[in-house]
Amino acid sequence: MATRLIDLSPSDMQQRLGDALAVYVDAMRYPRGTEDQRASMWLEHIRRHGWKAVAAVEVSGDPTDADHLPARAPLLGIAYGYCGAPDQWWQQQVISGLRRNGADADRISELMSSYFELTELHIHPRAQGHGLGEALIRRLLQDRTERQVLLSTPEINGEANRAWRLYRRLGFTDVIREYHFAGDPRAFAILGRPLPLT
Ligand SMILES: CC(C)(COP(=O)(O)OP(=O)(O)OC[C@H]1O[C@@H](n2cnc3c(N)ncnc32)[C@H](O)[C@@H]1OP(=O)(O)O)[C@@H](O)C(=O)NCCC(=O)NCCS
């Protein structure tokens, strides 16, 4: 399978939103229909400060011909994020988790004052296990000016899945474990690492 990594502009993302959400639902093995609940949120995220999105597409023939996103090139992977800010629900949730764990104001400020939130990273199941996820993260985090990158990922017994292996391989360490975001019964880990990613 010939693949190519590309940056998505805000309008690319709007145009390919349905495809990107389909990759997300298939990768996470969520029930069909989850896309509809997430669409408005993903669109709202585009307007956030420092938003950046990258994608992996399947290209046919000579991959070097595809200099921009071909209108119908199948989307194999999507990743995006933005600069964390105090008015964001996610940051408020993480701060309350840190406080509950006894973090003091200095620790909270050190973590929250300059970070890129890696919000979504998904590779379609038929393209997983070929290094595309790592390649997308590396492209997304290139040239970021924030001090660190933070993300949340579902807790998995023994950290035994590709997402955990990828984050550990890239040097992500624990910020909060077994965290329950408001309204979600699942436990999540908040992980982070300094930038740049080397
Ligand atoms: C987590 C996820 C993004 C990782 O992306 P990926 O492309 O599947 O995996 P990676 O980029 O880490 O690639 C590593 C695998 O590719 C293999 N690989 C093959 N060629 C490679 C290359 N050139 N470079 C690196 N890895 C390569 C590695 O051996 C490794 O295989 P293994 O995991 O079986 O040991 C993807 O599996 C996914 O979308 N999973 C479901 C959704 C999800 O969990 N998202 C994250 C939620 S927070």
Side-chain angles (χ1 to χ4, degrees):
M1 187 191 309
T3 57
R4 185 178 170 85
L5 303 188
I6 54 169
D7 293 344
L8 293 180
S9 68
S11 72
D12 291 333
M13 185 63 156
Q14 283 162 354
Q15 280 163 28
R16 300 298 301 261
L17 185 68
D19 296 340
L21 285 163
V23 168
Y24 156 75
V25 167
D26 287 343
M28 296 299 283
R29 304 193 185 281
Y30 286 153
R32 283 271 156 219
T34 310
E35 306 89 310
D36 306 336
Q37 297 156 18
R38 305 296 288 203
S40 58
M41 191 184 296
W42 285 35
L43 287 174
E44 187 268 316
H45 288 167
I46 295 173
R47 297 199 301 271
R48 294 190 174 184
H49 177 63
W51 179 89
K52 182 174 177 186
V54 295
V57 293
E58 185 171 4
V59 288
S60 53
D62 179 359
T64 57
D65 285 345
D67 284 327
H68 51 80
L69 181 62
R72 296 199 171 276
L75 210 62
L76 297 174
I78 177 78
Y80 79 80
Y82 41 76
C83 189
D87 62 346
Q88 293 165 5
W89 177 85
W90 195 85
Q91 177 171 126
Q92 292 156 10
Q93 289 283 303
V94 173
I95 289 176
S96 84
L98 287 166
R99 287 202 180 113
R100 223 171 297 155
N101 282 2
D104 63 16
D106 286 349
R107 168 72 176 148
I108 292 175
S109 155
E110 175 202 326
L111 278 166
M112 295 288 118
S113 57
S114 173
Y115 72 91
F116 179 78
E117 180 191 329
L118 174 51
T119 313
E120 305 289 350
L121 168 68
H122 307 288
I123 303 295
H124 192 275
R126 77 185 168 92
Q128 288 173 11
H130 300 284
L132 278 179
E134 177 171 342
L136 277 188
I137 289 200
R138 289 189 177 283
R139 188 176 179 107
L140 188 63
L141 296 180
Q142 235 172 30
D143 306 325
R144 293 308 305 186
T145 54
E146 294 85 359
R147 273 206 309 272
Q148 57 202 329
V149 50
L150 297 178
L151 60 84
S152 51
T153 193
E155 292 279 3
I156 299 288
N157 224 346
E159 304 185 0
N161 71 8
R162 278 219 168 90
W164 275 94
R165 285 201 295 279
L166 171 61
Y167 300 142
R168 291 306 195 200
R169 193 166 72 243
L170 293 179
F172 281 81
T173 59
D174 296 349
V175 176
I176 309 179
R177 295 298 299 263
E178 300 290 340
Y179 185 67
H180 287 271
F181 287 98
D184 194 330
R186 295 169 303 166
F188 281 82
I190 317 293
L191 305 177
R193 64 149 288 149
L195 288 174
L197 190 62
T198 45

